[in-house]
Amino acid sequence: QVQLVESGGGLVQPGGSLRLSCVASGINFNLYTMGWYRQAPGNQRELVAGITRGGTRNYADSVKGRFTISRDNAKNTVYLQMNSLKPEDTAVYYCNALFVRTKEYNYWGQGTQVTVSS
């Protein structure tokens, strides 16, 4: 059974930092593209950052230069380092694992709340 378990969310002041972690089990982690998405109240879920199995990264324009995604294949873990946080970064952050071959394998974590407020 596949599980993606996020941690590291919380309340932080504007300008602060957080690091999110997502530990995956039940999948061959090395094969998957991993991503972080977020959803604020009243908004659609949006891609924040992604990293392919080869290490290629992509970011939403709104977080470029502030967030960094990384992965540790030995630990089946993907990270999101978030610096210079802004109130508009407030959302539930979700971990995603995607692998496409003859069919699509797409899995989500339960989400972790990030609140940026003074």
Side-chain angles (χ1 to χ4, degrees):
Q1 142 206 13
V2 178
Q3 280 193 306
L4 302 177
V5 180
E6 300 105 332
S7 61
L11 173 64
V12 64
Q13 291 188 341
S17 298
L18 284 175
R19 188 174 84 152
L20 305 183
S21 300
C22 170
V23 180
S25 60
I27 61 172
N28 189 339
F29 184 81
N30 294 0
L31 298 181
Y32 279 71
T33 291
M34 301 300 297
W36 287 97
Y37 289 72
R38 67 187 180 188
Q39 186 168 19
N43 290 358
Q44 289 188 330
R45 191 172 296 190
E46 62 175 359
L47 175 67
V48 176
I51 183 167
T52 69
R53 62 181 183 178
T56 300
R57 298 169 172 84
N58 65 291
Y59 297 94
D61 287 343
S62 59
V63 307
K64 282 180 182 176
R66 300 188 297 122
F67 290 11
T68 302
I69 189 170
S70 61
R71 65 190 296 163
D72 186 338
N73 289 343
K75 296 182 179 180
N76 284 7
T77 302
V78 61
Y79 304 97
L80 186 67
Q81 178 66 44
M82 304 186 294
N83 298 328
S84 302
L85 282 160
K86 305 175 180 180
E88 51 264 43
D89 295 318
T90 296
V92 178
Y93 283 70
Y94 296 92
C95 178
N96 176 262
L98 177 66
F99 175 66
V100 180
R101 186 63 65 84
T102 54
K103 60 177 284 189
E104 181 177 286
Y105 300 85
N106 193 5
Y107 303 105
W108 293 92
Q110 81 288 351
T112 185
Q113 177 70 47
V114 172
T115 302
V116 185
S117 175
S118 55

